[in-house]
């Protein structure tokens, strides 16, 4: 009598992968994990900031990809499913483009911020420079700083306001919100001090344009380094993907026909000529040759292959020609499994990282709470006029 599968076997968890776009800090990671965990049927959700990837465990068929994507979009991020056979080329191109865009924004922000920083901070360090600024620029000093800072904040720095203010409105502040509040407060106060000094008590009409500009420039610098680091995480996978040929020679009625690799099916007979990469895993059915399997075994000496021998997709045929029967194609090939293992290793978290994520998700709220407490303490105990 055949035994029925247990409920645990029927409801065995399956792994779903999502690419997450728009995350900038550990607070984002914690927020996305929390949103995914709330989707009915999800057993566990893990998000990695470096790889911008979420791994979700759920019983087979219990959760739809659309529900997961909707949950992520509901908190202000974008998500799309990653198929097992997807190559990382598109993601790599996006990361390279992101790093290049951040580098351009950083160059513009730095060029505009440097004069402000030199004039403002240099005046405090070098009395002669302070004297020159006061005698030459006079009130135009503030106007020029206002113009340059405006270009920084509403040019390269506009991304922080576009993402940070909506996050603040959702009562889920992230690092973008912190930058927007910090730079925005310094900018607004300095603008009032420049154009409406009568609104402020005597002796308080100072400008802090350099603080607003430097905050944006430094955070852009960090984002650029982060984007480049993300690009390097996929370098190993890209090298593995390049080992996989794009086409194969399929034998039809004894004649070789070049087809796309995705068109190869299990049982097809394929022809391999000298210098070709073997397209998929299979068993030699006719002919013999020597195959370079260094990518799999590390052995530099080519291995002889004759009828009945196994060949691995991605390895290189050296001398003779042979034909073989495809045994594993697509995501089932050894090369595809290696790629998945590398992706899984890159996306995995150390136990200590989970603790770090839990701590750092409170960083932004803690900074904002500290600022609020400082304001209230000064308002109550500070010298008059405390509010201004």
């Amino acid at each position: 009598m055949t035994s029925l599968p247990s409920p645990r076997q029927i409801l065995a968890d399956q792994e779903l992968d999502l690419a997450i776009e728009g995350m900038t800090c550990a607070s984002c990671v914690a927020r996305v994990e929390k949103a995914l965990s709330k989707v009915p049927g999800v057993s566990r959700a893990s998000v990695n900031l470096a790889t911008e990837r979420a791994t979700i465990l759920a019983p087979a068929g219990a959760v739809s990809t659309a529900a997961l994507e909707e949950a992520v979009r509901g908190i202000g991020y974008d998500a799309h499913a990653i198929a097992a056979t997807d190559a990382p080329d598109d993601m790599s191109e996006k990361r390279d483009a992101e790093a290049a865009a951040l580098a351009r924004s950083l160059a513009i922000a730095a060029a505009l911020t440097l004069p402000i920083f030199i004039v403002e901070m240099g005046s405090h360090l070098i009395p002669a420079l302070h004297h020159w600024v006061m005698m030459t620029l006079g009130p135009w000093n503030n106007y020029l700083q206002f113009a340059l800072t405006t270009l920084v904040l509403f040019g390269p720095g506009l991304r922080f306001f576009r993402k940070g203010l909506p996050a603040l409105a959702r009562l889920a502040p992230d690092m973008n919100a912190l930058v927007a509040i910090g730079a925005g407060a310094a900018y607004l106060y300095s603008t009032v001090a420049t154009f409406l000094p009568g609104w402020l008590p005597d002796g308080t009409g100072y400008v802090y344009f350099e603080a607003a500009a430097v905050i944006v420039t430094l955070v852009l610098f960090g984002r650029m380094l982060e984007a480049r680091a993300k690009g390097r995480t996929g370098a190993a996978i890209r090298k593995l993907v390049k080992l996989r040929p794009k086409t194969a020679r399929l034998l039809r009625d004894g004649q070789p026909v070049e087809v796309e690799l995705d068109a190869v099916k299990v049982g097809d007979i394929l022809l391999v000529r000298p210098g070709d990469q073997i397209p998929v895993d299979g068993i030699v059915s006719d002919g013999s040759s020597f195959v370079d399997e260094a990518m799999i075994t590390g052995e530099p000496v080519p291995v002889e292959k004759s009828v009945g021998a196994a060949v691995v997709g991605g390895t290189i045929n050296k001398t003779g020609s042979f034909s073989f029967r495809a045994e594993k194609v697509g995501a089932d090939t050894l090369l595809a499994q290696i790629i998945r293992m590398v992706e899984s290793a890159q996306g995995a978290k150390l136990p200590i990282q989970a603790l770090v994520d839990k701590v750092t998700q409170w960083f932004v709220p803690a900074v904002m709470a500290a600022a609020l407490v400082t304001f209230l303490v000064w308002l109550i105990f500070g010298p008059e006029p405390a509010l201004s």
Side-chain angles (χ1 to χ4, degrees), residues 372-387:
L372 180 60
V373 169
T374 303
F375 170 76
L376 293 175
V377 170
W378 184 265
L379 182 63
I380 297 172
F381 300 104
E384 292 298 334
L387 179 61

Side-chain angles (χ1 to χ4, degrees), residues 39-347:
V39 176
V42 172
S43 302
R44 184 174 65 85
S46 176
V47 179
N48 189 292
L49 178 62
T51 58
E52 297 180 310
R53 187 170 184 148
T55 301
I56 301 97
L57 292 180
V63 180
S64 68
T65 302
L68 297 172
E69 294 175 354
E70 186 62 29
V72 174
R73 294 191 186 103
I75 56 172
Y77 305 94
D78 194 18
H80 62 270
I82 302 176
T85 56
D86 282 352
D89 294 346
D90 293 340
M91 185 62 68
S92 299
E93 289 177 3
K94 286 183 180 179
R95 288 175 178 171
D96 292 342
E98 178 187 3
L102 284 168
R104 288 192 298 269
S105 296
L106 174 62
I108 296 171
L112 295 171
T113 299
L114 191 60
I116 306 172
F117 183 80
I118 292 175
V119 169
E120 187 64 25
M121 302 309 295
S123 295
H124 294 290
L125 297 175
I126 306 173
L129 179 59
H130 174 73
H131 179 74
W132 180 84
V133 170
M134 296 302 295
M135 296 300 295
T136 305
L137 297 178
W140 283 98
N141 177 31
N142 288 0
Y143 300 149
L144 290 173
Q145 289 192 40
F146 166 77
L148 293 174
T149 304
T150 300
L151 292 175
V152 173
L153 263 62
F154 297 99
L158 188 60
R159 69 192 71 205
F160 300 114
F161 294 91
R162 283 178 172 170
K163 293 182 178 180
L165 296 182
L168 194 62
R170 293 192 300 268
L171 300 180
D174 58 1
M175 189 62 70
N176 293 303
L178 200 60
V179 173
I181 291 175
Y187 175 78
L188 289 175
Y189 183 90
S190 302
T191 301
V192 172
T194 299
F195 296 101
L196 299 169
W199 286 17
L200 302 175
D202 293 339
T204 61
Y206 302 109
V207 296
Y208 303 94
F209 287 121
E210 91 286 349
V214 168
I215 287 173
V216 169
T217 302
L218 289 180
V219 176
L220 280 174
F221 179 64
R223 293 281 173 86
M224 184 199 68
L225 294 179
E226 182 183 38
R228 289 184 175 179
K230 288 178 180 177
R232 285 196 292 269
T233 61
I237 298 177
R238 288 198 297 272
K239 290 179 180 178
L240 287 171
V241 170
K242 289 180 180 178
L243 296 175
R244 185 169 54 194
K246 298 182 182 298
T247 60
R249 290 189 181 89
L250 178 63
L251 288 177
R252 290 177 178 169
D253 300 326
Q255 298 298 319
V257 178
E258 191 163 317
V259 298
E260 294 292 327
L261 190 62
D262 294 340
V264 177
K265 297 180 176 58
V266 174
D268 285 344
I269 302 299
L270 306 173
L271 175 65
V272 179
R273 292 172 178 169
D276 286 351
Q277 279 185 299
I278 297 174
V280 296
D281 298 356
I283 302 296
V284 176
S285 58
D286 184 49
S288 63
S289 181
F290 285 85
V291 176
D292 182 357
E293 295 184 335
M295 58 158 283
I296 301 296
T297 64
E299 175 59 51
V301 179
V303 179
E304 184 178 6
K305 299 292 181 180
S306 56
V307 176
V311 291
V312 178
T315 55
I316 300 174
N317 181 36
K318 285 296 186 180
T319 53
S321 297
F322 64 90
S323 57
F324 72 98
R325 182 178 69 257
E327 296 288 332
K328 294 182 179 179
V329 300
D332 295 327
T333 63
L334 180 60
L335 180 58
Q337 292 177 29
I338 293 174
I339 292 173
R340 285 202 301 274
M341 291 173 65
V342 174
E343 288 177 336
S344 178
Q346 289 184 346

